[in-house]
């Protein structure tokens, strides 16, 4: 029924039928599945469709994936291929136990299910996914196990399991002594390997019980946080166990190579995180990752954040296309072939200037990868201005603008024009952000009216672009403003109209005031008097609560500790 929405029609198609039809059309009829929207499919012109007489192929996607789709897709194949097969087979979540032992269900009736911290169990507080659990409580472990059985009985073949995010150990005596493995660096130390070992033993116990209770089913356990490192007390997992690698570099696979994992590996994959609305992926990086996953027996990929929500679906188009085609068949075509295939199919008559545009974007991103070690250790904040400014200089932006403008002028086919629009939006966001950084540097050098006026013009152009991209969507507008962690950096955090009237705000010392204590301080020691108070401020980026009264802190240190004294007075109400 062609009058029905495409996504609804897609829900009526069996994944096997869809996959075989889609891949047949891709291989023999020139079909190209480019992106999850109405313009997402292109058929390349063919004078003849040739099908081998002896064609008889049995195949499925190499990797089982999910969360790679747009939330309301209209390209059936892109959606179903990436989504339906996985959700029918894989249940649970990487932090599943937090979905079982919830505040809503047990916070008041069973506070003993939650972690003890400084003598108190505070199950009413915190983000639900980050609420910590008392694993020594046998009821907690039994509730977690029964939930696994329930998910298998719903039809899942694999259930994913793992501790809550932001792991912090329970400080009760029973947890300290659980499984006879005591922490050696103190019960408060979340980095003590004993905590990870206890979790591995618990998961192994679950897996052993499942061998009998649900034969043929598999448990996938995330190696993350306290369980990032392999276990020490045993060297082989039960045959129904899959390890989901949250850190999937070659060094981590090497660490795990000494442990027998009969069920193989999955990965929790982060390729679309961390760069906001800037381009951030390369064809080469996806090709290297996929080759490493194949080499290390990875068959399940869980994407942490889909590309559609990162804002770079289209400016990262060749990379994303390469990613999902290699996920279907890692050996059918080379990454270079897939890059060319995407550009030719998506942009047709405008392919040549778009090829130059994307090749130059890829070149800069490949250069930025050499900076990756620094980026991983860079403090959150204004160092991202260095990264954006360094890797997207003005001359490069001008060259990209020239290629994209040529493509816009060459585009005749309506769907090609529509495909270029989101690339233009993403590029303009990058362009205006880069120009603000470079004008700000010019202003810091010259400090005159001309440099000030150029900086204000660049800020206003960026704000106008953000408003156009966000429309009436205030949430998207905020995400665009904070992209790349720039909002807490000058000049991105300026009130432009106020600055135009009153001038540039005084740059305050970014270092905290701190001094060495002459003796071990108490709350009322005189040495606090020499330290300037630092006020708490509300975060423009996160918006995690209001400050209802002025609150300040002071810092002292000695060879043993850092001392923090917080001062504030709440209103009477």
């Amino acid at each position: 029924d062609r009058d029905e929405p495409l996504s609804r029609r897609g829900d009526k198609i069996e994944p096997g039928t869809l996959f075989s039809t889609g891949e047949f059309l891709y291989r023999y009829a020139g079909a190209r599945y480019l992106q999850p929207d109405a313009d997402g499919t292109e058929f390349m012109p063919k004078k003849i469709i040739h099908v081998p007489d002896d064609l008889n192929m049995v195949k499925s996607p190499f990797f089982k994936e999910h969360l790679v789709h747009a939330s309301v897709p209209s390209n059936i194949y892109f959606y179903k291929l990436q989504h339906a097969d996985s959700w029918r087979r894989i249940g649970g979540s990487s932090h599943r136990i937090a979905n079982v032992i919830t505040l809503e269900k047990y916070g008041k009736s069973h506070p003993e299910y939650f972690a003890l911290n400084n003598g108190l169990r505070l199950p009413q507080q915190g983000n639900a996914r980050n609420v910590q659990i008392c694993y020594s409580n046998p009821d907690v472990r039994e509730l977690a196990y029964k939930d696994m059985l329930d998910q298998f009985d719903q039809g899942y073949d694999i259930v994913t399991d793992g501790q809550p995010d932001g792991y912090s150990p329970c400080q009760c005596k029973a947890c300290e002594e659980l499984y006879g493995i005591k922490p050696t660096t103190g019960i408060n130390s979340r980095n003590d390997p004993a905590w990870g070992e206890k979790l591995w033993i618990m998961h192994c116990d679950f897996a052993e019980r499942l061998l009998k209770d649900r034969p043929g089913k598999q448990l996938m356990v995330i190696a993350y946080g306290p369980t990032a490192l392999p276990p020490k007390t045993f060297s082989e997992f039960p045959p129904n166990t899959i390890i989901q690698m949250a850190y999937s570099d070659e060094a981590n696979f090497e660490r795990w190579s000494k442990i027998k994992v009969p069920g193989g590996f999955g990965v929790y994959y982060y390729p679309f995180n961390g760069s906001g609305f800037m381009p951030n992926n390369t064809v080469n990086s996806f090709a290297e990752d996929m080759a490493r996953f194949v080499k290390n027996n990875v068959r399940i990929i869980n994407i942490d954040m889909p590309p559609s929500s990162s804002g770079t679906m289209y400016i990262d188009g060749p990379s994303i296309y390469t990613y999902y085609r290699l996920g279907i068949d890692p050996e059918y075509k080379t990454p270079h072939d897939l890059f060319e295939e995407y550009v030719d199919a998506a942009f047709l008559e405008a392919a040549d200037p778009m090829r130059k545009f994307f090749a130059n974007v890829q070149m800069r991103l490949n250069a930025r990868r050499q900076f990756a070690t620094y980026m991983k250790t860079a403090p959150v904040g204004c160092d991202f201005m260095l990264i954006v400014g360094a890797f997207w200089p003005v001359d490069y932006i001008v060259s990209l603008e020239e290629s994209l403008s040529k493509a816009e002028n060459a585009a005749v086919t309506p769907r090609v024009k529509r495909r270029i629009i989101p690339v233009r939006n993403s590029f303009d966001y990058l362009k205006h952000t880069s120009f603000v950084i470079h004008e700000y540097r010019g202003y810091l050098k010259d400090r005159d009216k001309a440099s000030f006026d150029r900086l204000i013009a660049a800020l206003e152009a960026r704000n106008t672009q953000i408003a156009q991209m966000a429309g009436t969507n205030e949430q998207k507008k905020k995400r665009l403003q904070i992209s790349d962690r720039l909002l807490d950096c000058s000049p991105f955090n300026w009130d432009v109209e106020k600055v135009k009237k009153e001038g540039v705000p005084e740059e305050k010392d970014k270092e905290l005031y701190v001094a060495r204590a002459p003796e071990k301080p108490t709350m009322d020691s005189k040495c606090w008097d020499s330290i300037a108070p630092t006020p708490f401020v509300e975060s423009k980026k996160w918006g995690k609560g209001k400050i209802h009264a002025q609150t300040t802190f002071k810092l002292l240190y000695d060879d043993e500790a850092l001392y923090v004294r917080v001062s504030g007075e709440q209103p009477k109400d």
Side-chain angles (χ1 to χ4, degrees):
D1 182 356
R2 294 190 59 83
D3 293 328
E4 281 193 276
L6 284 171
S7 58
R8 191 178 304 159
R9 279 189 271 138
D11 289 339
K12 297 177 182 178
I13 301 174
E14 286 298 319
T17 301
L18 183 69
F19 180 73
S20 61
T21 305
E23 283 302 288
F24 176 85
L25 293 173
Y26 171 75
R27 290 169 183 254
Y28 299 106
R32 301 290 179 261
Y33 309 104
L34 305 169
Q35 55 209 38
D37 58 28
D39 293 317
T41 303
E42 187 66 51
F43 279 86
M44 301 303 288
K46 278 183 169 289
K47 293 181 179 179
I48 185 172
I49 294 177
H50 174 263
V51 180
D53 291 338
D54 59 350
L55 178 62
N56 183 14
M57 182 182 296
V58 177
K59 197 167 183 61
S60 64
F62 187 87
F63 296 110
K64 308 300 180 188
E65 308 163 287
H66 58 86
L67 291 181
V68 190
H69 56 86
S71 57
V72 185
S74 52
N75 180 329
I76 305 175
Y77 187 59
F78 196 106
Y79 168 61
K80 278 295 197 180
L81 176 65
Q82 307 293 341
H83 177 69
D85 189 53
S86 296
W87 279 127
R88 292 185 182 190
R89 300 184 66 247
I90 304 174
S93 75
S94 300
H95 306 292
R96 187 189 65 88
I97 199 166
N99 299 329
V100 179
I101 311 299
T102 64
L103 294 175
E104 294 78 11
K105 196 166 185 179
Y106 299 110
K108 293 182 179 179
S109 60
H110 289 282
E112 71 275 12
Y113 289 177
F114 299 90
L116 185 72
N117 190 295
N118 293 325
L120 297 172
R121 297 187 192 269
L122 301 172
Q124 293 83 12
Q125 298 182 10
N127 182 316
R129 195 180 71 168
N130 301 88
V131 171
Q132 302 303 314
I133 308 298
C134 179
Y135 296 101
S136 63
N137 189 308
D139 291 343
V140 165
R141 298 197 299 274
E142 199 59 27
L143 285 167
Y145 184 69
K146 287 180 178 178
D147 180 75
M148 277 185 208
L149 299 182
D150 290 343
Q151 296 211 34
F152 285 125
D153 292 344
Q154 292 173 34
Y156 294 115
D157 298 322
I158 301 168
V159 168
T160 308
D161 194 28
Q163 67 277 357
D165 212 353
Y167 175 80
S168 182
C170 176
Q171 297 172 2
C172 76
K173 190 69 174 176
C175 278
E176 181 182 8
E177 297 179 351
L178 184 63
Y179 301 124
I181 299 173
K182 286 194 171 187
T184 58
T185 57
I187 196 169
N188 292 329
S189 174
R190 70 173 65 193
N191 295 321
D192 193 299
W195 301 115
E197 202 68 32
K198 294 172 192 284
L199 291 169
W200 282 128
I201 293 171
M202 181 182 72
H203 288 127
C204 269
D205 179 59
F206 289 158
E208 292 283 1
R209 293 174 66 183
L210 288 170
L211 286 173
K212 177 181 177 182
D213 293 339
R214 296 295 183 273
K217 303 294 186 178
Q218 290 181 291
L219 175 64
M220 181 162 67
V221 185
I222 188 168
Y224 173 73
T227 56
L229 296 176
K232 299 289 188 182
T233 54
F234 59 92
S235 59
E236 182 175 352
F237 281 89
N240 59 349
T241 308
I242 303 168
I243 299 301
Q244 184 183 52
M245 306 283 277
Y247 314 104
S248 52
D249 56 26
E250 192 61 55
N252 210 34
F253 276 115
E254 176 61 29
R255 293 186 195 99
W256 277 90
S257 67
K258 301 172 179 62
I259 303 293
K260 188 173 180 179
V261 184
F265 293 95
V267 295
Y268 196 90
Y269 196 36
Y270 308 87
F272 307 113
N273 299 44
S275 291
F277 287 80
M278 303 289 184
N280 62 348
N281 291 288
T282 69
V283 167
N284 289 343
S285 66
F286 279 128
E288 290 170 8
D289 287 349
M290 291 299 167
R292 184 169 65 257
F293 297 162
V294 171
K295 171 187 170 184
N296 288 285
N297 193 26
V298 171
R299 297 302 295 268
I300 298 170
I301 298 178
N302 183 333
I303 296 290
D304 182 68
M305 178 188 293
S308 54
S309 65
S310 72
T312 64
M313 170 69 83
Y314 303 97
I315 199 167
D316 277 338
S319 303
I320 295 169
Y321 183 80
T322 299
Y323 162 71
Y324 92 80
R325 287 307 319 173
L326 290 176
I328 295 167
D329 191 333
E331 299 178 347
Y332 182 52
K333 291 189 177 179
T334 68
H336 174 75
D337 290 341
L338 293 171
F339 175 88
E340 295 291 329
E341 183 174 280
Y342 174 84
V343 174
D344 287 337
F347 301 105
L348 301 177
E349 68 274 5
D352 285 344
M354 289 304 292
R355 181 176 290 104
K356 183 177 180 181
F357 173 86
F358 282 119
N360 281 327
V361 169
Q362 294 278 311
M363 191 181 299
R364 295 311 291 175
L365 291 175
N366 280 323
R368 197 183 74 178
R369 291 178 66 206
Q370 308 305 315
F371 211 50
T373 302
Y374 172 75
M375 288 174 65
K376 289 179 181 177
T377 59
V380 174
C382 300
D383 277 354
F384 272 73
M385 287 181 66
L386 167 64
I387 293 166
V388 175
F391 288 99
W392 302 105
V394 172
D395 57 336
Y396 226 87
I397 292 291
V398 170
S399 175
L400 290 170
E401 174 64 59
E402 180 181 345
S403 297
L404 189 55
S405 296
K406 286 182 178 178
E408 289 169 326
N409 291 330
V412 176
T413 308
R415 60 184 178 277
V416 172
K417 291 181 178 181
R418 290 192 296 268
R419 288 171 187 150
I420 292 176
I421 290 172
V423 179
R424 162 58 72 184
N425 286 336
S426 297
F427 171 70
D428 281 352
Y429 180 81
L430 167 65
K431 175 176 69 176
H432 289 302
T433 300
S434 172
F435 284 175
V436 167
I437 292 170
H438 294 298
E439 294 297 352
Y440 182 58
R441 289 172 173 170
Y443 168 75
L444 292 177
K445 179 175 74 71
D446 296 330
R447 301 278 183 172
D448 58 13
K449 186 177 185 304
S451 61
F452 174 80
D453 289 345
R454 289 194 299 270
L455 172 57
I456 293 298
L459 283 167
E460 290 179 327
R462 182 176 186 268
N463 290 340
T464 298
Q465 171 65 15
I466 287 174
Q468 290 174 350
M469 290 179 70
T472 59
N473 188 330
E474 287 299 319
Q475 183 178 5
K476 183 176 181 180
K477 182 177 180 180
K478 184 176 181 179
R479 287 181 59 222
L480 285 160
Q481 288 172 331
I482 70 173
S483 180
D484 286 273
R485 309 176 186 179
L486 291 171
L487 185 62
D488 286 339
C489 308
S490 298
F492 294 97
N493 58 1
W494 289 357
D495 180 332
V496 176
E497 292 303 317
K498 185 177 181 180
V499 170
K500 286 167 68 175
K501 293 177 183 177
E502 302 177 8
V504 176
E506 180 183 351
E507 292 285 344
K508 296 180 180 178
D509 187 353
K510 294 181 175 62
E511 296 298 319
L512 300 175
Y513 292 99
V514 61
R516 173 179 282 276
E519 70 278 335
K520 187 171 183 177
T522 65
M523 191 71 77
D524 300 315
S525 295
K526 285 289 185 182
C527 54
W528 290 109
D529 296 342
S530 63
I531 307 299
T534 301
F536 283 95
V537 295
E538 293 178 11
S539 171
K540 296 178 181 178
K541 184 188 304 180
W542 304 113
K544 295 268 180 88
K546 297 286 185 182
I547 296 175
H548 298 288
Q550 185 180 34
T551 308
T552 62
F553 65 92
K554 295 183 177 185
L555 300 174
L556 290 168
Y557 70 96
D558 58 23
D559 291 337
E560 297 180 353
L562 175 72
Y563 304 94
V564 185
R565 189 177 79 167
V566 180
S567 304
E569 184 175 335
Q570 285 282 37
K572 291 181 179 180
D573 59 357

